[in-house]
Amino acid sequence: MNIFKALFGGSEETPEEKQRTDEAKRFDLFKYDGVKAARMGQHDYAVKCYEKALEIHDDLEIHDYIAQSLIHTDRLDEAMTHLNVLYDAQPDNKEILIRMADVAFLTEDYDKMAALCTRILDIDNKCARGNYLYARAHDGMGNAVAAVATVSRAIALDPDFAAAYLLRGQLLLKMGDAAGAGKDADTLISTYGENEDALLLKARAEAAAGHADTATDIYNKLTELNPFCSEAFKERGELRYNKGDMNGAQADMQRVLELNPDQINDITGEYSAEGIENKMRKSSFINPLGL
């Protein structure tokens, strides 16, 4: 018998109590090892720890943690399974539904995403994030008009929602409204500075409006800001090509291939290496002095 229990009249711990105590210690060990691993970015190991913890005790907090780590490791279907457990336990928790909508977006299940967003807005129709996600679902389903209307509502609810301005600008650009897209890009740049995504949107808006020189200047700034932005090099190269700057276009194309060798099949037609070379030959044949 434990000497302290003997002195103070306590009873010895029963085998069942000892088992529960040991399980609680093991549960905490796996839980906190998982949390520590996740914080260090070791999500595969974190998942293993959380799975061990769940074998001991079915705990909602662990389902939340494991869902986050599964998303980080691109195991999205498994993540959704754990999120469903959380939703079943707390069906009116919009944060869980938002997480589920994010996963549905990543899996491109836009119908499910739309249904989840409808549920979010049933709970809180002034949820800016819910409206933003609903707009992304509309866009995924090919309904651009509804997407613009819904993301505009998100902006009205939260005027500081940067991602919503970016999405609306991208949608407007796809719909042919270069001026509207440019305004959203200007809002982002004036509020948050020369962010890469905002500059890319602005450059595309200027190019779509026919302002090739202005767009090129923005692409120049963007490539200085991020020399690994292959989209900026590709799109600037196309503008250079259209202006007859074959050397500039070829240099940009080469940079794109250095950054993304797998894109070689995406660079076809006149903007391919062969297309640029052929046009350079034709130019020199028509005007051998380059005048």
Side-chain angles (χ1 to χ4, degrees), residues 65-101:
Y65 289 160
I66 194 171
Q68 294 178 50
S69 286
L70 287 166
I71 291 169
H72 279 286
T73 55
D74 205 31
R75 294 161 64 179
L76 302 176
D77 290 339
E78 293 176 68
M80 189 65 86
T81 298
H82 289 279
L83 290 171
N84 277 319
V85 173
L86 294 173
Y87 175 67
D88 289 341
Q90 300 178 11
D92 294 325
N93 187 329
K94 72 178 181 182
E95 297 304 325
I96 295 170
L97 288 160
I98 286 171
R99 187 90 58 81
M100 294 173 78

Side-chain angles (χ1 to χ4, degrees), residues 14-39:
T14 66
E16 292 79 9
E17 289 172 336
K18 185 176 186 307
Q19 182 178 353
R20 285 194 294 270
T21 300
D22 289 343
E23 287 181 349
K25 289 179 180 178
R26 290 176 59 241
F27 175 85
D28 287 340
L29 178 64
F30 287 125
K31 174 183 175 179
Y32 292 113
D33 274 358
V35 170
K36 182 179 178 181
R39 287 175 178 169

Side-chain angles (χ1 to χ4, degrees), residues 120-138:
I120 293 168
L121 297 178
D122 284 342
I123 296 169
D124 179 7
N125 67 356
K126 293 185 179 180
C127 176
R129 178 74 180 171
N131 279 278
Y132 168 79
L133 290 170
Y134 206 0
R136 302 205 78 163
H138 282 308

Side-chain angles (χ1 to χ4, degrees), residues 207-226:
H211 307 150
D213 289 341
T214 302
T216 299
D217 288 342
I218 298 170
Y219 282 124
N220 291 342
K221 188 177 296 184
L222 185 51
T223 56
E224 291 175 7
L225 180 67
N226 179 8

